[in-house]
Amino acid sequence: MIRIAALAAMTLFATSALADGDAAKGEGTFAKRCKTCHSIYNGDNDIVKGGKIGPNLFGVIGRSAASTDFKYGDSAKAAGEKGLVWDQAQIITYLEDPKAFLVEYLGDSKARSKMAFKLRDEGDRADIAAYLATFSGTN
Ligand code: HEC
């Protein structure tokens, strides 16, 4: 009995660690870490006026990878063609190491990412995923 309860508690913890980011905190972290390269806009409506080095992240959660008019790298495009649709858990993994994510997803050790940035802290990554989900129909 005790063992079952412990297991249930562990499962609960693992799930919440993945999808329980704090969107308000994510907004601040996004401004510090992502905005240099990424903007968030819906048509003409600027939500975060940032750089254009990376694609618009409005609605990215629930969207196919590499599906805006941005000039993505070949590996990002290949991931989109293979069926990658961003959800919070995938964004959390991607942000830790975009190149490693693509290598793994494509099963191709030569995969490359044009996003030259890594966010090490898992809490920060979960917060940003929760923040990005506020600009999507799904989360
Ligand atoms: C140095 C510039 C730079 C920084 C900083 C950066 N990115 Fe990116 N990001 C890019 C580029 C360039 C791409 C396109 C990757 C490719 O084509 O391989 C990208 C792609 C992405 C994608 C995939 C989008 C899609 O349409 O498939 C997501 C999600 C993303 N970035 C989120 C973030 C978040 C969140 C942060 C902050 C934690 C961040 N990025 C920081 C440059 C950056």
Side-chain angles (χ1 to χ4, degrees), residues 5 20 125:
D20 219 14
R125 285 185 272 126

Side-chain angles (χ1 to χ4, degrees), residues 33-34 37-38 53 63 66 72-73 86 94-95 114-115 128:
R33 313 298 300 275
C34 319
C37 293
H38 289 282
I53 295 163
R63 184 169 94 190
Y72 293 95
W86 293 115
Y94 178 78
L95 294 179
K114 276 179 83 174
M115 175 160 146
I128 286 181

Side-chain angles (χ1 to χ4, degrees), residues 48-102:
V48 176
K49 242 185 174 178
K52 294 275 165 72
I53 295 163
N56 175 20
L57 293 181
F58 183 84
V60 69
I61 288 177
R63 184 169 94 190
S64 289
S67 60
T68 73
D69 59 2
F70 181 80
K71 282 199 184 331
Y72 293 95
D74 289 342
S75 301
K77 284 192 263 183
E81 280 155 22
K82 202 181 163 189
L84 175 61
V85 176
W86 293 115
D87 62 19
Q88 287 197 50
Q90 279 159 333
I91 298 258
I92 290 168
T93 312
Y94 178 78
L95 294 179
E96 184 178 20
D97 188 339
K99 175 176 177 282
F101 178 95
L102 292 170

